Amino acid sequence: MDTRDQIIVALDCDDRAGAERIVGQLGEECRFYKVGLELLTAAGPDFVTFLVAQGKEVFLDLKLFEIPNSVAGAVRAAGTLGVSMVTVHGMGGLGIMTAAVEAARAFPGLRILALTVVTSMTDEDLTDIGIGGSAAEQVLRLARLAGKAGCHGLIASPQDVAALRSALGADPLIVTPGVTLPGDSPAEHARPGTPRAAIAAGASHIVVGRTVTRAPDPAAAFRLVRAGLSR
Ligand code: C5P
């Protein structure tokens, strides 16, 4: 796979102008963007259509956790926009993950990814919400459930990738946020890792946000991430 297809840049911007500026700065080299709840709410679905019209792939990070009927409706709306990936919370259980997968069938390019445990959560955070065991155990439990529901892949932190690959085999996509370049501040990532380590451990894609978008020269930062993957 071309490394450009493995790097998803998170456009965590609060307005369309800021997001368009980054897309312009990254130019042809960046092919895949993540649009999350902040930008979707601020800029609207037209911005997603704009990216798709430019030939970009879009990961729409909706983090769905709703009744199955509403999840299915949101997935259909995302599919109509032409996005490639949508996220659903694994903690919502089999019903909503299955609803998402069923709804995605009408859109051949659309992949449903299950979110296991957000990378900022620690074992203590899980205990606080009544989940016993470690984050790693919870990730594996939800990953197996996602596979049962027919999800195409998972979101998982760099530290969880190797265990997931060996448990689930080569098929599922594993998309890994929480990556920073060596020397970056780990921000609020509780379990950070480098892009290279994530791919080496078995991630199919990495999500990189501020390391690129807040860099003085985003295109240069993107090239650094890409060079790191090729070494
Ligand atoms: O930290 P960074 O700016 O690289 O974040 C990019 C994306 O990774 C965010 O949009 C967020 O969804 C995801 N992320 C995450 N867990 C974190 C930090 C970021 O899943 N702790």
Side-chain angles (χ1 to χ4, degrees):
M1 195 193 259
D2 187 317
T3 51
R4 279 173 297 188
D5 297 318
Q6 295 183 291
I7 306 169
I8 305 174
V9 171
L11 288 171
D12 292 325
C13 305
D14 59 9
D15 68 359
R16 178 169 178 156
E20 279 196 35
R21 193 164 45 245
I22 293 164
V23 172
Q25 283 169 324
L26 295 179
E28 288 301 304
E29 190 144 353
C30 181
R31 298 174 175 179
F32 215 143
Y33 287 101
K34 179 167 94 72
V35 174
L37 297 174
E38 181 183 13
L39 183 58
L40 182 67
T41 306
D46 279 0
F47 179 70
V48 173
T49 314
F50 158 83
L51 287 176
V52 171
Q54 293 207 7
K56 306 300 184 190
E57 286 204 67
V58 178
F59 165 7
L60 197 57
D61 195 9
L62 294 177
K63 295 188 165 70
L64 297 169
F65 198 149
E66 248 284 12
I67 60 169
N69 187 55
S70 301
V71 165
V75 168
R76 279 193 299 275
T80 304
L81 291 176
V83 309
S84 305
M85 294 173 173
V86 171
T87 38
V88 59
H89 269 285
M91 285 205 201
L94 259 187
I96 74 163
M97 287 193 281
T98 307
V101 169
E102 290 295 326
R105 284 195 210 287
F107 306 93
L110 181 56
R111 302 281 170 263
I112 300 298
L113 305 177
L115 185 67
T116 57
V117 178
V118 292
T119 57
S120 57
M121 284 187 97
T122 62
D123 293 354
E124 274 179 12
D125 292 327
L126 288 177
T127 308
D128 286 346
I129 58 165
I131 294 171
S134 66
E137 284 162 0
Q138 179 69 355
V139 166
L140 208 53
R141 178 184 300 124
L142 293 180
R144 292 210 163 98
L145 203 59
K148 212 166 148 189
C151 289
H152 306 93
L154 300 159
I155 308 292
S157 85
Q159 279 63 28
D160 298 319
V161 172
L164 287 173
R165 259 302 159 235
S166 71
L168 307 174
D171 281 348
L173 300 172
I174 301 182
V175 177
T176 301
V179 292
T180 53
L181 285 170
D184 277 357
S185 122
E188 76 266 29
H189 300 272
R191 308 189 297 281
T194 65
R196 188 181 177 194
I199 296 287
S204 56
H205 299 78
I206 53 157
V207 175
V208 54
R210 291 162 290 186
T211 291
V212 167
T213 57
R214 302 250 176 109
D217 181 348
F222 184 91
R223 283 194 295 275
L224 260 184
V225 170
R226 198 174 165 210
L229 296 189
S230 312
R231 270 199 294 271

